[in-house]
Structure formats: C-alpha cells, structure tokens
Amino acid sequence: MTRQRATTVGFIAVLLWSLLALFTVGTAPTPPLLLNAICFTIGGAIGLIWTAKTGQFSILRQVPLHVYVFGTVGLFGYHALYFSALRLAPAAEAGLIAYLWPLLIVVFSGLLPGETLRKGHIVGALCGFAGAALIITGSGTGFNIASLPGYMLALACAVTWAGYSVLSRRLGDAPTETVAVFCLTTALLSAGLHIVIEDTVWPQGTIGWASAIGLGLGPVGLAFYVWDIGVKRGDIQLLGTASYAAPLLSTLILVLAGIAAPSWSLLFAALLVTGGAVIATRASVSK
C-alpha cells in the first residue's frame, strides 16, 4: 500500500468520528457501559472477520500482554467517559470539549524525549481551551451548572485519548489485528461492569438500534482499523491536522440533524478549538 493511499484510508476515521455524537444521542437512554459492550462487540467482530480473511490469527499470540492491557484501557476509558459525558451534558458542547484530544496530542507529544514544546504549541493550547471555555459558558444560553459533570467527563475523555495516543508511540508498532482484541476485551469489561453498576436499558426502537449498530460499524469499529493503517503507513502529520476537522463536522451534523441549535458562539468555539489545533500542528512540523 502506497503512502498516499494509506493516508486516504486513515482519513476515513476522521469522517467516521464526526458521526460519534449523532449516533450516541440516538442510543439514549441506553447506559454508557452497556452501549460500550454492544458497540465494541460489533467492532471486535469486524476485526475477527478481517483477521480470519487474512489468515493472521497466529500473529496475535506474539503480541506482549501489556500491549493488550494498554489498548483495552485506552479504548474502554475513552468511550465510557465519552458516552457518559453525552448523557449528562448537551451533545454539541460535550462533543466539542471531548474533541480537544487532537490539540492535547500535539501539546503532550511536545513533552516526549527528543521533542520540543514551541511557542506555537502554547498559543494553540490557549486558543483551544478558550474555545472550550466559550462552550462551557453556554453557547449563548449561559452557564448551566447542571451540565458541569458532563463537561468534566468530556474533558477527562479528551485527556484520556490524548494520553493513550501519545504513550502508544513508546510501545512500538503492533499489528492492526490487535485492535480486534482491544475491542473485544473492552466489550467484556464493559459488560461485566454494566451488570454490577447499571440498570439494563436496551436501545429503543429502530432509531436506537440503528444508532447502536452504526456506532459499532463506524466510529467505534472500522474507524480504529483504518486509523491504525493511516498512522503507521501514511502521512501522520497530515492525518493529525485532518483530525481537527472532526469537531467542526460533528457540530455541523448535530445542527443539521436538529439536535443542536445553530449559534454564532457555538461556531466561534468550534473555530477556536480547530484553529488552536492547527497552530499547534504547524509548530510541530516547523524546523
């Protein structure tokens, strides 16, 4: 596979992630851990089918256990926090705060050995968090103290995925097929905890189940596999920049679906988050 083609494949993940908020809202009132279990079972099944087709089951036994543990914690933690945030705060605001992860990846990566945190990283971080602050103040409706737990979970979600992404660079390359194991172990962990701490509420009606299946096939399934291909074989800097389109696309989809109301402050917040991330990325690639 050529570098250009792998980059194109990786960009599919960005498009799929822009649907995450919409599908998550559609699955309400299914609790987060049960939703995790449903979606990651579907996502893991995709990987098993792929692995069986390529005849690569043997390579899964060669992967160290700590890689599987790390991947499971990253996927489980991020999505449990994300689904919980969208249950406790407005979808557009929580989704945009969660999408601070591209900016945080750039900032955190500047702290790794051999990397330099430049002025552009700091400016970009300030722009991104200014956007988050604007979102929290209510997108024109004023600060809603009742949504604070959701806002905090969304921020924790962003930190979790950024930390996972940056630390994964230090674990070495693992075959893409390992993502299937990450998904399945995340599904099992979610199901077990769901039984202990949640009431079972299955997705409601056609829209609920269609949204849950859509999550498992796309944003919580295929996206992880194509992203893995893109960052390992494609132009990772271009993909990193492209990922900052996700919050804008996500918000636009929510507005078009009638879930979020259009407002100038919401648009400005999205531009601040995206613009700050782009500034930070340019600092990363500058000589």
Side-chain angles (χ1 to χ4, degrees):
M1 180 179 293
T2 66
R3 179 180 175 88
Q4 182 177 4
R5 183 177 180 184
T7 302
T8 301
V9 171
F11 184 70
I12 295 174
V14 178
L15 299 178
L16 292 173
W17 284 331
S18 69
L19 295 170
L20 187 60
L22 177 66
F23 286 157
T24 300
V25 171
T27 62
T30 302
L33 291 171
L34 177 57
L35 187 58
N36 251 10
I38 294 171
C39 296
F40 278 105
T41 297
I42 297 172
I46 292 175
L48 290 182
I49 293 172
W50 180 3
T51 303
K53 184 176 180 180
T54 58
Q56 297 297 315
F57 275 112
S58 61
I59 67 173
L60 296 179
R61 293 193 294 269
Q62 303 171 16
V63 177
L65 178 61
H66 71 272
V67 173
Y68 289 128
V69 173
F70 178 79
T72 300
V73 170
L75 292 186
F76 171 77
Y78 173 80
H79 288 88
L81 289 168
Y82 184 86
F83 293 145
S84 297
L86 264 67
R87 290 289 184 266
L88 299 176
E93 286 85 343
L96 278 172
I97 294 173
Y99 274 125
L100 280 171
W101 63 260
L103 171 63
L104 294 178
I105 285 175
V106 174
V107 174
F108 289 172
S109 65
L111 301 175
L112 289 171
E115 299 288 346
T116 302
L117 186 62
R118 299 183 174 90
K119 181 179 179 180
H121 294 130
I122 299 174
V123 173
L126 291 174
C127 287
F129 281 105
L134 180 59
I135 295 165
I136 292 177
T137 57
S139 299
T141 60
F143 178 73
N144 182 4
I145 190 66
S147 297
L148 182 59
Y151 297 147
M152 298 306 295
L153 287 174
L155 182 59
C157 166
V159 173
T160 297
W161 190 251
Y164 165 81
S165 300
V166 172
L167 292 175
S168 65
R169 293 176 53 185
R170 308 197 60 169
L171 294 179
D173 291 336
T176 299
E177 287 80 3
T178 58
V179 176
V181 179
F182 298 167
C183 289
L184 292 175
T185 52
T186 295
L188 288 173
L189 180 59
S190 298
L193 289 177
H194 160 71
I195 293 173
V196 174
I197 66 176
E198 290 181 338
D199 294 326
T200 299
V201 181
W202 296 102
Q204 304 296 300
T206 302
I207 293 179
W209 277 108
S211 297
I213 293 172
L215 279 172
L217 291 176
V220 192
L222 180 60
F224 295 124
Y225 300 98
V226 294
W227 183 252
D228 189 80
I229 292 173
V231 296
K232 289 179 178 176
R233 306 180 190 177
D235 187 334
I236 191 171
Q237 294 175 342
L238 179 58
L239 283 173
T241 302
S243 68
Y244 303 133
L248 284 178
L249 292 173
S250 179
T251 303
L252 178 60
I253 290 172
L254 289 173
V255 170
L256 292 176
I259 296 173
S263 69
W264 287 111
S265 58
L266 186 59
L267 174 60
F268 188 48
L271 291 175
L272 277 172
V273 173
T274 304
V278 171
I279 291 172
T281 301
R282 288 175 63 88
S284 291
V285 301
S286 64
K287 299 295 184 180

